[in-house]
Amino acid sequence: MQFLSSPPPERHTPLEDAQGLVVGALLVALAVNVLRAADLVTGQIAGLALVLSYPTGWSFGAVFFLLNLPFYVLAVRALGWRFTVKTFVAVALMSALAEALPLAVPLGPVPGPVAAVLAGVLAGSGLLTLFRHGATLGGVGIVALWLQDRGTMKAGYVQLLFDLGVFALALALFPWPVVLWSLAGAVVLNLIITVNHRRDRYIARS
């Protein structure tokens, strides 16, 4: 018998959502720093922020946070305030953690192939955690979830299409082996999302 104050079993509690946002943001921030240790990039808005931060010296966290701002308009209109607030929190957390982690856990050089696979697995797992707690890391993730919920296209495919544009830009700025291993990491990330992110297989809601 449930107590009256207990939430329905199919919904996440606020505490569960809070830990989900922290864990998801932390995993993706760690993935970003693995990529940095190998001088690789990735896809989505995080990838675009990395591509811009390398040649300019701008802070990745600041660029990532600013690039996401325009997408909150779509998030509010299409996915609601609850999703938007959680996503804003997740983006802010990831931006801060990505800048703080190198101070606490400095990484030495990481071979490109290892960094690509490890970062893809970390980021894919982090994004799945955020998706399952009603959030994402803004940007393309907002558009991807919106289109998947409408039955237009799976989220992983939407993100992969955007990634092609990011990597085309990266190819103009970085040596081709860097772009090749970066693309491999993005494929790993998007395959994890494509295979695992299905609402009919996950009951709990935010």
Side-chain angles (χ1 to χ4, degrees):
M1 179 178 178
Q2 279 193 310
F3 292 106
L4 293 178
S5 59
S6 299
E10 74 275 8
R11 298 187 69 88
H12 290 297
T13 67
L15 183 60
E16 289 170 341
D17 279 340
Q19 67 81 31
L21 296 184
V22 172
V23 169
L26 181 59
L27 287 171
V28 179
L30 183 56
V32 168
N33 282 287
V34 170
L35 292 171
R36 281 171 162 174
D39 292 325
L40 299 184
V41 297
T42 186
Q44 305 174 58
I45 295 299
L48 184 57
L50 274 174
V51 169
L52 294 175
S53 69
Y54 282 139
T56 62
W58 296 339
S59 162
F60 163 81
V63 175
F64 177 72
F65 184 82
L66 291 173
L67 287 176
N68 272 296
L69 292 178
F71 292 94
Y72 293 125
V73 177
L74 173 62
V76 171
R77 293 181 177 178
L79 300 167
W81 278 103
R82 185 181 179 88
F83 175 89
T84 304
V85 169
K86 288 183 180 180
T87 293
F88 182 86
V89 171
V91 168
L93 276 172
M94 205 283 269
S95 300
L97 288 168
E99 297 304 314
L101 273 176
L103 303 176
V105 189
L107 296 177
V110 179
V114 175
V117 175
L118 182 57
V121 171
L122 286 169
S125 301
L127 287 171
L128 279 174
T129 302
L130 293 173
F131 289 172
R132 290 180 172 183
H133 288 272
T136 185
L137 282 176
V140 183
I142 292 173
V143 179
L145 286 178
W146 176 59
L147 289 175
Q148 176 160 299
D149 285 348
R150 287 166 56 90
T152 304
M153 186 182 296
K154 296 195 75 170
Y157 295 141
V158 176
Q159 294 180 160
L160 191 56
L161 286 174
F162 181 83
D163 289 350
L164 294 177
V166 173
F167 286 113
L169 176 60
L171 196 57
L173 299 173
F174 304 105
W176 69 264
V178 169
V179 179
L180 180 64
W181 287 119
S182 299
L183 181 59
V187 169
V188 171
L189 184 159
N190 284 294
L191 284 174
I192 289 174
I193 292 174
T194 299
V195 171
N196 292 284
H197 183 60
R198 284 184 53 179
R199 289 186 180 274
D200 58 333
R201 287 181 179 171
Y202 189 73
I203 299 173
R205 296 174 297 171
S206 294

